Amino acid sequence: MSELSNKIVIITGAAGSLGSTTASRFARQGATVVLVDINRERLEAVQKSLPDGVKSSVIETNLLEQASVDAMAEAVVAKYGTIDIIANIAGGFTMGPLVHETGEKEWDFMMDLNLRSIFHTSRAVIPLMLRNGGGRIVNISARAAREGKAKMGAYCASKAAVITLTESLAAEHKFDNINVNCILPGTIDTPPNRKEMPDADHSKWVPTEALADVILFLCSDASRCVTGAAIPVFGQS
């Protein structure tokens, strides 16, 4: 029996490519998966694709609204009694203009999608983990967090902030049995990325399955002494 059997796992962004792959991997390890995203129809499609017999729930949630996130966390605890793991996979990318030409709306969109969403889930879930004696949190940053790129200022800044937030959370809870880490993917091999970059060498990109493997590692006993880490997963790019 897997050590993840019967663990209650929340996966935000579960309707997307990486989120759905991660949900499937946790499900195959026997975990109970809670699929969280703003698009219920797509969440239900992901739920139907999970292996037979898996315990799962779909909770439509607006991660940019604290009340919606709080309601989601309360619903999970009401149904399952606890939250063991949260994988904060929700996020996104848009190429922007030059920084001095970036509008407030464009800046806020990246900060909200990539950072505020994690801030909201942390505020909702950590008190429950403290009450239950621990947990694991995995956030998704990006390779671009380590080096600013032209016309990507808002995106790079938001993903860099994810690293800093991860480190702060890890420092605050290192004696609470709550491990907090983040992953820095290179270009992820997803249908939208292939559509945007059809002429790229996709074989050098990072498969979603490889990232899911790292997420599972960070939620396993093998990573019990790992917290506050920002782990590069660049593939061959």
Side-chain angles (χ1 to χ4, degrees):
M1 181 178 292
S2 166
E3 66 190 74
L4 294 174
S5 293
N6 302 316
K7 295 290 187 182
I8 310 303
V9 182
I10 296 173
I11 300 170
T12 74
S17 297
L18 178 56
S20 60
T21 299
T22 303
S24 179
R25 296 302 294 272
F26 272 111
R28 292 202 297 270
Q29 293 296 314
T32 296
V33 293
V34 181
L35 308 174
V36 171
D37 213 310
I38 200 166
N39 188 320
R40 185 174 187 87
E41 183 178 350
R42 289 173 61 186
L43 284 176
E44 290 175 345
V46 172
Q47 186 180 38
K48 290 177 181 178
S49 73
L50 296 176
D52 292 340
V54 169
K55 294 180 180 179
S56 64
S57 295
V58 163
I59 305 181
E60 182 179 345
T61 306
N62 184 345
L63 296 172
L64 304 187
E65 294 182 0
Q66 187 69 62
S68 181
V69 177
D70 290 344
M72 176 272 292
E74 291 167 4
V76 174
V77 173
K79 184 169 185 177
Y80 299 114
T82 190
I83 296 170
D84 298 302
I85 294 165
I86 181 164
N88 285 307
I89 294 174
F93 167 79
T94 58
M95 182 68 73
L98 300 172
V99 171
H100 74 276
E101 296 173 347
T102 300
E104 296 283 342
K105 185 176 180 180
E106 295 162 310
W107 180 268
D108 289 345
F109 179 70
M110 283 288 91
M111 290 295 172
D112 285 346
L113 193 60
N114 293 322
L115 183 64
R116 187 178 297 276
S117 58
I118 297 174
F119 173 58
H120 284 167
T121 60
S122 298
R123 291 209 295 181
V125 168
I126 287 176
L128 302 171
M129 290 183 170
L130 289 169
R131 188 180 72 192
N132 292 314
R136 300 294 176 91
I137 299 173
V138 181
N139 301 322
I140 303 297
S141 179
R143 182 177 188 169
R146 293 299 197 193
E147 182 181 356
K149 301 289 186 180
K151 298 186 177 182
M152 291 172 56
Y155 175 75
C156 292
S158 68
K159 288 298 191 179
V162 170
I163 297 176
T164 303
L165 180 60
T166 297
E167 292 170 342
S168 293
L169 290 170
E172 289 173 352
H173 299 292
K174 63 182 177 181
F175 301 119
D176 298 324
N177 194 34
I178 299 175
N179 288 28
V180 189
N181 296 287
C182 67
I183 299 172
L184 282 59
T187 304
I188 306 174
D189 190 359
T190 64
N193 281 343
R194 287 192 176 220
K195 184 178 180 180
E196 289 293 324
M197 295 172 275
D199 299 325
D201 185 350
H202 304 144
S203 67
K204 294 184 177 180
W205 289 0
V206 183
T208 55
E209 293 81 5
L211 287 168
D213 283 342
V214 179
I215 293 169
L216 260 67
F217 164 72
L218 291 172
C219 297
S220 72
D221 289 343
S223 68
R224 60 192 177 277
C225 293
V226 181
T227 192
I231 300 176
V233 188
F234 295 165
Q236 295 177 310
S237 59

